[in-house]
Amino acid sequence: MTGPLMLLDTASLYFRAFHGLPDTLRSPDGTPVNAVRGLLDFIAKLVTDYQPSELIACWDDDWRPQWRVDLIPSYKEHRVVTVSADGPDVEETPDLLVAQIPLIRRVLTAFGIPIVGAPEHEADDVIGSLASQATGPVDVVTGDRDLFQVVDDARGIRVIYTARGMSKLEVLTESVVREKYGVDAAQYADFAAMRGDTSDGLPGVAGVGDKTAAGLLATFGTLDAIIKASATRGDGMSESVRAKLLRAADYLAVAPTVVAVVCTLDLNAPDAHIRPLSPEKLAAARELSVSLGLGGAADRALRALGNDLPQAEAATV
């Protein structure tokens, strides 16, 4: 295979899988496996449809890094269940999904899909770093709009956007980002900082929505230039908008750092080439699949990853 490197925003996918399949799907011992099965079917579809040559499951080692919280205390605050003094805070997650996260890691490893995370960083940062350091084309699979900022036609970096569902995947290139939001992909982080995002606890600039943010970027190019212009009374900005930006000066001083995806992590990326498992590893993967009751989802994923499974033996559920 000579396709792109595919980077999975893993939590985004397993949350979608969990909510998309009934939690009555259980392993023989009664453990829910709907998120595991759904994730495997997502992987089978993505690999089959987009033909990557490499695949990495990017992981949230820290879903709410303290350095981002220090800059904007409201960052993801509404999703915190338990504050931890010696590690990442505990995120609000359904109990039936929490039980499956260790199983997801076991299954990904058994199926030959490397998992990559980074201390004090989110999966977005892992994705940004791996994408920026890749030597070939990259497909980023996510339901998170923040990652639109990594789209780069010149380097062949696209986003496969899952927010509308796996049956309506949307491939975002620079032209698609511009058509949807009126900004270049390289401007998207500045756009998002001004607009804000309630799902991440980012207030944005009060009174500045998508249209105004896009218009400002069209006129001034960057958020830095917009902030400088707001301190003067030159052309290109109404007094009303200027006042809104000045009132949000403290927020705008830190928001770009919080919103920007980190692209400089030294991750020692693993060998992620998609290749058939050895006979011993394939047998172990199938044994794990049977023990967890993963059914046809496991076989579909294993086949998509290049493993030769006898059709007569494959589960169909």
Side-chain angles (χ1 to χ4, degrees):
M1 299 173 70
T2 58
L5 164 64
M6 179 172 281
L7 303 174
L8 305 179
D9 182 359
T10 315
S12 172
L13 293 176
Y14 67 59
F15 266 94
R16 175 167 291 278
F18 175 79
H19 290 294
L21 290 174
D23 59 27
T24 52
L25 293 172
R26 305 278 173 137
S27 69
D29 69 1
T31 303
V33 292
N34 56 324
V36 187
R37 289 176 61 157
L39 177 61
L40 289 177
D41 266 332
F42 291 170
I43 289 170
K45 175 179 174 56
L46 289 162
V47 172
T48 299
D49 289 354
Y50 296 98
Q51 295 289 297
S53 60
E54 300 174 88
L55 180 65
I56 296 177
C58 301
W59 204 264
D60 283 316
D61 278 9
D62 190 339
W63 69 279
R64 187 175 183 250
Q66 187 61 45
W67 58 270
R68 283 189 164 111
V69 176
D70 288 343
L71 294 172
I72 299 181
S74 62
Y75 182 66
K76 297 186 178 180
E77 184 177 31
H78 59 294
R79 287 152 56 180
V80 175
V81 173
T82 304
V83 175
S84 176
D86 55 358
D89 294 336
V90 178
E91 183 179 13
E92 182 179 11
T93 307
D95 290 343
L96 294 181
L97 176 54
V98 171
Q100 298 183 64
I101 294 174
L103 301 181
I104 289 170
R105 292 188 67 101
R106 283 181 62 195
V107 169
L108 291 173
T109 300
F111 282 37
I113 301 171
I115 300 168
V116 178
E120 301 179 356
H121 287 85
E122 302 173 54
D124 284 11
D125 302 315
V126 174
I127 289 170
S129 296
L130 290 173
S132 68
Q133 296 161 27
T135 57
V138 179
D139 280 344
V140 173
V141 183
T142 185
D144 186 348
R145 293 181 300 176
D146 287 342
L147 282 163
F148 293 174
Q149 64 189 273
V150 306
V151 170
D152 185 338
D153 287 357
R155 300 195 60 235
I157 301 173
R158 313 183 299 179
V159 165
I160 299 171
Y161 190 45
T162 65
R164 297 176 61 203
M166 294 301 291
S167 63
K168 298 179 180 178
L169 294 173
E170 188 175 8
V171 178
L172 275 80
T173 59
E174 289 185 18
S175 63
V176 177
V177 173
R178 172 159 283 285
E179 182 180 351
K180 289 173 71 73
Y181 298 104
V183 298
D184 294 333
Q187 297 173 309
Y188 189 84
D190 287 348
F191 171 78
M194 284 189 284
R195 179 193 61 197
D197 188 340
T198 56
S199 68
D200 280 342
L202 297 174
V205 178
V208 172
D210 287 18
K211 185 176 180 180
T212 301
L216 288 169
L217 286 167
T219 300
F220 297 100
T222 67
L223 181 54
D224 281 345
I226 292 168
I227 292 170
K228 289 176 182 176
S230 69
T232 67
R233 296 187 181 278
D235 295 335
M237 185 180 301
S238 70
E239 287 302 313
S240 173
V241 169
R242 188 188 317 280
K244 292 169 182 176
L245 292 167
L246 291 174
R247 283 195 293 269
D250 290 344
Y251 164 78
L252 290 174
V254 296
T257 302
V258 174
V259 173
V261 169
V262 176
C263 295
T264 56
L265 297 175
D266 184 3
L267 296 169
N268 295 317
D271 179 359
H273 283 87
I274 295 173
R275 57 172 65 90
L277 297 171
S278 68
E280 296 77 15
K281 289 185 176 180
L282 179 58
R286 299 196 73 195
E287 182 178 347
L288 177 61
S289 167
V290 171
S291 70
L292 294 179
L294 301 182
D299 285 338
R300 287 187 285 274
L302 285 168
R303 278 206 191 88
L305 294 168
N307 296 283
D308 184 15
L309 301 186
Q311 290 287 343
E313 294 182 18
T316 58
V317 178

